[in-house]
Amino acid sequence: MGSGKQRWRISFHKSPIKVKHPPKEFICPISGSLMADPIIVSSGHTFERHSVLACKSLSFTPILPDNSIPNFSTIIPNLALKSTILNWCSSSHIHPPIPLDFISTENLVRTLMATQNTNNSKNCDVMNRFIESVSAQLNRQISTTSEESVTPTSPLTRPCCYSSASSSEMDPTNPNSCGEDELIVKLKSSQVFEQEEAVISLRKLTRTREETRFQLCTPRLLSALRSLISSRYASVQVNSIAALVNLSLENGNKVKIVRSGIVPPLIDVLKGGFPESQEHAAGALFSLALDDQNKTAIGVLGALPPLLHSLRSESERMRHDSALALYHLSLVQSNRAKLVKLGAVQSLLGMVRTGHMTGRILSILCNMAASLEGRGSMLDGGAVECFVGMLRKGEFDAESIRESCVTALYGLSHGGLRFKGLAKEAAAEDLLITLEEIMESEKAKDKVRKILEALREKHEEEEEIDWEELLNSHGDTNSA
């Protein structure tokens, strides 16, 4: 027919399965995509949030298909429409919509600006061409079955503490690069879209460039970044912490970051931030804990309880990084004492018994067995029986698990008669004799020999020992 509405109609390709087309009020007039975060502006129009933020960022006011001009002075979340869209997706058996990233939306708006400024009559044609590409993406999303996920995931080949691409990240090919001064101005801006643009740029700049990580890790930038870690906007919070992870990868930055006061807000995010932010927070604490100068400070600031809690997280990445953070933090005696008071030993032994991250948890318990408090708590918690039982079953995916059990028992063997009685009850000696023959590592074999020596060592007081009473006795190591 040639009308404006006709030119703006979105054409969906036929998918392999029969699906419903989204009602037109679910589609953002600017991006042409199904809205994931709809907002109402002052003029009463509804758009995707990133579309409005991109227009405001570029000081651009589009002319809509009905020739109306929106007013972006005020934006209000359209929660009712968002709920309706989600319900429609659920009833149509498709995945909820995923918003276009900010830079892609901004690039679209730049195209509209250029076209509208030169020839308004061609504006809709340009939009139609963009919408065709978005529609294809949307159709793929609609035709995706419930068993498939359209959410991008981090490559498993990269270390979990490394900031990989996410749904909230800008296109890494964007040539814009900000200097420190410009970044700081935007980080401190009262405009959310400028904050978001700055943290995403910082995340990109620090992903692969080691010299950039070192140059940008200044007190001024860290101070500006610190306030955004607790942002109530998911994209700002996620990307600010991801950028911090990147900065922390440079060894020379780790101490500077901790001294900047960033650890407390990181801990707050770990306790109750957005899910992806929590993953990055665990990775940041792991990375920072690699420096010996930071270990005590991180423990004193209160990171141990939320890290312990994170070991039960549904996120594999978060569990992994939390375990690694606890391993490095437990290399320090003061943190081992804190973990004992928190009741961590019982919790960690429970995870080992159920096969929950066995290798990672065993490494933490090996550190705990090296301290007097940790050793006492482990002996009281049935660690000897647990480790001997694991060695007897021999059901290991790797030799490293067997070696970790031996290392833990070696640490416990310094527990004197208490250990000797528990090992005797578990019939550990015959098992250890066998292990000495089959262990592959000479270091592990040497530990087995030393454990056997401890078991065979005669003590004058043994003749008067009531072994049953000794085995049933418990110290006060578990008290808080």
Side-chain angles (χ1 to χ4, degrees):
M1 296 235 206
S3 67
K5 290 185 179 179
Q6 188 72 16
R7 290 196 301 272
W8 275 68
R9 181 179 299 166
I10 300 178
S11 300
F12 293 93
H13 298 288
K14 291 184 179 179
S15 61
I17 59 176
K18 187 176 180 179
V19 296
K20 299 178 182 178
H21 292 176
K24 62 180 181 180
E25 59 268 22
F26 292 179
I27 303 299
C28 173
I30 293 177
S31 71
S33 61
L34 188 64
M35 288 185 282
D37 188 10
I39 57 173
I40 302 175
V41 299
S42 302
S43 56
H45 297 92
T46 296
F47 302 92
E48 177 68 43
R49 181 182 295 273
H50 275 183
S51 297
V52 174
L53 294 179
C55 287
K56 293 182 69 174
S57 173
L58 299 171
S59 300
F60 172 66
T61 302
I63 300 176
L64 301 181
D66 60 359
N67 292 322
S68 62
I69 299 177
N71 183 344
F72 296 146
S73 59
T74 304
I75 60 176
I76 302 173
N78 194 337
L79 300 180
L81 180 58
K82 182 176 182 180
S83 177
T84 303
I85 292 174
L86 292 176
N87 289 336
W88 178 83
C89 291
S90 178
S91 64
S92 301
H93 305 292
I94 68 171
H95 290 286
I98 299 174
L100 293 173
D101 62 80
F102 184 81
I103 286 301
S104 295
T105 310
E106 193 176 62
N107 288 339
L108 161 65
V109 174
R110 290 182 190 277
T111 301
L112 292 178
M113 288 175 63
T115 307
Q116 185 167 301
N117 289 338
T118 56
N119 190 347
N120 285 337
S121 64
K122 297 180 181 179
N123 188 40
C124 290
D125 294 332
V126 174
M127 180 62 80
N128 277 333
R129 287 196 297 271
F130 179 82
I131 290 177
E132 286 177 3
S133 64
V134 174
S135 297
Q137 177 183 350
L138 183 58
N139 270 330
R140 288 194 296 270
Q141 177 179 327
I142 292 176
S143 61
T144 303
T145 64
S146 58
E147 289 76 24
E148 297 173 330
S149 172
V150 294
T151 305
T153 56
S154 301
L156 297 179
T157 55
R158 287 182 176 177
C160 288
C161 71
Y162 188 83
S163 164
S164 57
S166 78
S167 60
S168 54
E169 183 181 4
M170 291 200 304
D171 181 0
T173 60
N174 182 41
N176 292 337
S177 60
C178 300
E180 180 187 353
D181 292 338
E182 184 178 351
L183 277 171
I184 291 174
V185 168
K186 290 189 175 182
L187 289 171
K188 291 184 175 181
S189 171
S190 60
Q191 300 295 322
V192 176
F193 72 89
E194 289 194 344
Q195 297 173 2
E196 182 181 35
E197 181 181 332
V199 292
I200 293 175
S201 295
L202 179 61
R203 182 178 182 179
K204 285 184 358 182
L205 289 169
T206 55
R207 180 182 297 122
T208 57
R209 306 176 191 175
E210 295 181 8
E211 69 283 358
T212 303
R213 291 199 288 262
F214 184 78
Q215 293 168 0
L216 289 178
C217 191
T218 65
R220 291 173 59 227
L221 187 138
L222 290 174
S223 176
L225 191 62
R226 184 177 62 235
S227 63
L228 299 183
I229 289 177
S230 302
S231 173
R232 60 191 180 92
Y233 295 96
S235 180
V236 174
Q237 185 181 102
V238 167
N239 285 288
S240 62
I241 302 176
L244 179 66
V245 172
N246 292 346
L247 290 171
S248 73
L249 297 179
E250 186 69 29
N251 289 332
N253 291 343
K254 297 182 190 294
V255 174
K256 289 192 289 186
I257 291 172
V258 170
R259 290 179 178 175
S260 72
I262 266 177
V263 171
L266 274 180
I267 294 173
D268 289 338
V269 168
L270 194 62
K271 292 177 180 178
F274 294 100
E276 188 178 352
S277 299
Q278 290 179 317
E279 293 179 352
H280 289 306
L285 290 171
F286 160 41
S287 180
L288 295 172
L290 292 173
D291 194 293
D292 290 341
Q293 297 183 65
N294 291 339
K295 289 179 172 61
T296 300
I298 293 173
V300 168
L301 291 169
L304 298 177
L307 284 171
L308 281 171
H309 184 267
S310 297
L311 294 177
R312 303 283 188 179
S313 169
E314 295 181 358
S315 165
E316 181 181 358
R317 174 179 179 173
M318 191 170 178
R319 294 195 304 269
H320 175 90
D321 283 350
S322 296
L324 288 174
L326 285 168
Y327 166 75
H328 289 283
L329 293 173
S330 62
L331 291 170
V332 175
Q333 170 56 26
S334 61
N335 287 333
R336 291 196 289 255
K338 287 183 175 67
L339 287 170
V340 169
K341 290 182 178 181
L342 290 169
V345 169
Q346 289 77 7
S347 178
L348 295 173
L349 285 172
M351 293 181 191
V352 169
R353 291 187 180 103
T354 58
H356 183 74
M357 291 197 304
T358 304
R360 299 295 183 195
I361 302 302
L362 276 175
S363 66
I364 301 171
L365 287 170
C366 288
N367 289 344
M368 299 299 294
S371 69
L372 180 62
E373 300 95 331
R375 191 157 52 238
S377 184
M378 290 174 70
L379 291 173
D380 290 344
V384 174
E385 179 185 7
C386 175
F387 299 145
V388 171
M390 291 177 64
L391 289 169
R392 182 167 285 116
K393 291 179 181 178
E395 298 176 354
F396 305 113
D397 294 331
E399 176 70 11
S400 60
I401 302 294
R402 181 184 284 114
E403 290 184 14
S404 294
C405 285
V406 169
T407 300
L409 284 172
Y410 173 70
L412 295 175
S413 70
H414 294 81
L417 292 177
R418 176 87 175 128
F419 168 78
K420 192 170 184 178
L422 291 167
K424 180 178 180 180
E425 184 181 41
E429 186 170 353
D430 291 341
L431 173 65
L432 290 168
I433 292 173
T434 303
L435 283 176
E436 187 179 0
E437 299 296 327
I438 66 173
M439 294 294 291
E440 298 177 3
S441 166
E442 284 300 323
K443 189 175 181 180
K445 287 185 177 183
D446 185 57
K447 289 178 181 176
V448 171
R449 286 191 288 267
K450 289 180 178 179
I451 298 171
L452 286 169
E453 289 174 5
L455 291 176
R456 294 164 178 169
E457 185 180 359
K458 295 295 182 181
H459 297 270
E460 294 181 3
E461 62 270 27
E462 281 191 57
E463 297 180 2
E464 301 178 0
I465 287 291
D466 184 335
W467 288 105
E468 184 175 353
E469 180 181 351
L470 178 64
L471 292 173
N472 291 331
S473 65
H474 295 278
D476 297 327
T477 55
N478 296 329
S479 62

